[in-house]
Amino acid sequence: MKHDEKREGEDLIRQRQKGRAIVMALLLGGFVLLVFAITIVKIRAGIAAR
């Protein structure tokens, strides 16, 4: 029975790790989109200034 409890604990840890990985991926994706949007705005502003 102790082996089953250990397995359940490992599964719980893996679920938490997966949840954190998903959150980090979403945050990183959002940051990339933000940098991309800022870059596009700056490029357009530079073109409009000419």
Side-chain angles (χ1 to χ4, degrees):
M1 188 159 184
K2 188 168 186 162
H3 181 69
D4 291 337
E5 291 174 3
K6 184 177 178 184
R7 176 73 177 172
E8 288 177 12
E10 290 175 356
D11 289 343
L12 182 60
I13 290 170
R14 297 288 177 248
Q15 284 178 333
R16 289 178 180 170
Q17 287 176 336
K18 184 177 180 181
R20 282 193 294 259
I22 290 171
V23 169
M24 288 302 295
L26 291 173
L27 288 172
L28 180 60
F31 178 71
V32 168
L33 289 174
L34 179 65
V35 170
F36 179 73
I38 290 170
T39 302
I40 295 299
V41 167
K42 286 188 171 196
I43 289 172
R44 287 188 179 174
I47 291 172
R50 288 186 178 185

